[in-house]
Structures are given as structure tokens and as C-alpha cells.
Amino acid sequence: MRDADYINDSLQKFKDEKPEEEKEEGPHAAITYLVKWKKDRENWKFQKVRQVWLLKNLYNVELITKKHFRYLLQYIDGLRGNWRQILIDQAESFIEEYNDDLNSLDSEDETTEIKYKRCKKVRKKLKR
């Protein structure tokens, strides 16, 4: 029976182990995931936690660079279902708010301007 216990313990440890890239958290891991999707699709594999992070931070200029935003636009083009509609709704909501409040918004706020442009790109990409 000892051998069976040893085998079961070894199998459980194997199941619990995750590749290093899956253990990472936060922005770096999500960006690495996105770059791998773009440049090494053969070795890329879907990770829901990374996708969720990317989609929640889609408009964050500090976390998603211009280059990575271009990759992300390509990535979201393949989305189906709920996320696609959520992103369209978010983009349209911000665009409408931006247009309504154009006079009251700080025109010097570069981050708001970039978010507005990103929203327009997302809406255009997903509404075709």
C-alpha cells in the first residue's frame, strides 16, 4: 500500500504544480500572456485570469502601452459572447459621457483623451 500512497501523493503534487508563467500575477503576467498570444501562438494557451485582467485594464494608459493596446485590439477581435458586448457598452458609455461633458472636461487631460481614442477604436473593432 505504501507504493500506492506514494504514487497518489506524487500525482497530486504534479496536478498542483503550475508553470512559472501561470504563477505570476498582475500586469507583467498579463502583458507576457498577450505578447505570447501575438508572437508565439503555437505555445500560447488560454488563461482566463489573464484575459480578465487585460479586459478590465484595457483603457488604462499606465498599464497598457500603445504597442500592447494594438495587440489587445487584435486579441479582442476574437472575443465572443458577453465580453464582446460588455466592451462595446463600456466604450459607448465613455464616448457618450466624453461628448456630453466635452466643455467641462479638462482638455489638457491627456489620459482622458487617450481613453476616448481607445474607446472609439474598441467600438469600431467590435461593432463590425
Side-chain angles (χ1 to χ4, degrees):
M1 200 57 141
R2 285 182 95 155
D3 290 335
D5 290 338
Y6 175 77
I7 291 171
N8 286 337
D9 287 345
S10 296
L11 285 173
Q12 187 59 44
K13 286 179 185 176
F14 178 75
K15 288 178 184 177
D16 292 341
E17 288 180 11
K18 292 185 176 180
E20 282 302 312
E21 63 193 29
E22 288 184 32
K23 291 179 185 177
E24 292 183 54
E25 294 183 14
H28 180 71
I31 297 299
T32 301
Y33 167 83
L34 180 64
V35 170
K36 192 169 195 173
W37 173 86
K38 173 69 176 163
K39 297 189 176 198
D40 189 14
R41 197 101 28 115
E42 287 180 14
N43 295 309
W44 172 86
K45 70 176 189 171
F46 176 75
Q47 295 177 31
K48 185 173 187 170
V49 70
R50 305 292 177 247
Q51 176 175 294
V52 169
W53 188 96
L54 288 166
L55 298 179
K56 285 185 174 183
N57 291 284
L58 180 64
Y59 304 112
N60 189 322
V61 178
E62 294 173 11
L63 297 174
I64 308 289
T65 65
K66 188 176 184 177
K67 176 176 95 175
H68 294 132
F69 180 74
R70 285 194 303 266
Y71 292 173
L72 203 42
L73 274 178
Q74 294 170 17
Y75 181 87
I76 67 172
D77 194 33
L79 289 178
R80 301 286 173 249
N82 255 3
W83 269 114
R84 191 174 190 90
Q85 191 58 50
I86 289 168
L87 293 178
I88 290 169
D89 292 345
Q90 285 176 345
E92 288 180 340
S93 176
F94 184 80
I95 291 167
E96 185 177 312
E97 179 184 321
Y98 181 89
N99 289 334
D100 289 347
D101 298 334
L102 197 54
N103 294 329
S104 63
L105 288 174
D106 182 5
S107 60
E108 300 297 317
D109 185 3
E110 186 179 349
T111 302
T112 302
E113 184 70 26
I114 292 170
K115 183 176 178 180
Y116 173 72
K117 289 177 181 177
R118 286 184 175 191
C119 285
K120 286 176 66 173
K121 289 177 181 178
V122 167
R123 182 179 66 180
K124 181 179 179 183
K125 177 65 92 175
L126 296 179
K127 281 202 93 167
R128 329 184 246 152

